[in-house]
Amino acid sequence: MRKLILAAAMCSAVGSYVHAAAQKKMPIDFIGEWCAPEKDGDTTTYTLPSWTEDHKCTDILSIDQWQFVFNMGGEEEIYCDPVSVRTKADTAPSGTAYFATISANCYAGTAPDRKTRRTVEFERYKGRLMLKSK
């Protein structure tokens, strides 16, 4: 009986560790390719390719379920892996706006061993995505 209780406790502890160590996912409302960024202070606005002039996509922000990758004004690509994600949505008759505050470990493409923590606020309304770094 004692062995059974010990085994159950160990399985529970291992399960909790594996769950806590699971990688955070990006919210589905932001996944996709975004392009043609416009900067205004510390806010960068991206659009869907279909919303750009001549449907040409430059300076792509790529978001998949595990990370987001962007180019900061001609510098090398920056990769960001989410660590914590907080989301909310605001629905009105004209559509839904999606918000997320994401804390991520980010690194330059050539230096994956030198990560820095960044917090980025995401706001999407229809074909526009605004990013604001904190």
Side-chain angles (χ1 to χ4, degrees):
M1 180 69 170
R2 196 179 274 176
K3 287 182 182 179
L4 181 61
I5 293 172
L6 181 59
M10 288 181 70
C11 287
S12 177
V14 169
S16 296
Y17 174 75
V18 170
H19 179 70
Q23 187 176 6
K24 297 290 183 186
K25 288 185 178 183
M26 290 294 295
I28 194 158
D29 303 304
F30 303 103
I31 292 176
E33 304 293 320
W34 301 87
C35 49
E38 296 176 12
K39 282 193 76 71
D40 183 17
D42 61 350
T43 301
T44 305
T45 302
Y46 290 86
T47 57
L48 289 171
S50 61
W51 284 44
T52 61
E53 229 174 272
D54 299 328
H55 304 292
K56 292 183 180 177
C57 201
T58 59
D59 297 329
I60 298 170
L61 165 66
S62 179
I63 303 173
D64 65 28
Q65 70 179 14
W66 301 113
Q67 71 180 182
F68 54 99
V69 182
F70 56 96
N71 184 302
M72 296 181 58
E75 297 174 17
E76 65 185 319
E77 290 182 331
I78 304 295
Y79 296 82
C80 296
D81 304 321
V83 175
S84 69
V85 178
R86 289 181 293 148
T87 60
K88 69 177 182 174
D90 186 14
T91 302
S94 61
T96 302
Y98 301 94
F99 304 88
T101 301
I102 300 173
S103 181
N105 287 328
C106 298
Y107 58 91
T110 57
D113 57 329
R114 296 195 341 232
K115 296 180 179 181
T116 59
R117 182 69 58 100
R118 291 186 184 184
T119 300
V120 182
E121 292 179 352
F122 287 70
E123 180 182 332
R124 178 185 180 176
Y125 183 68
K126 297 186 179 180
R128 295 207 182 279
L129 176 67
M130 290 184 286
L131 271 63
K132 185 175 182 178
S133 295
K134 286 183 152 187

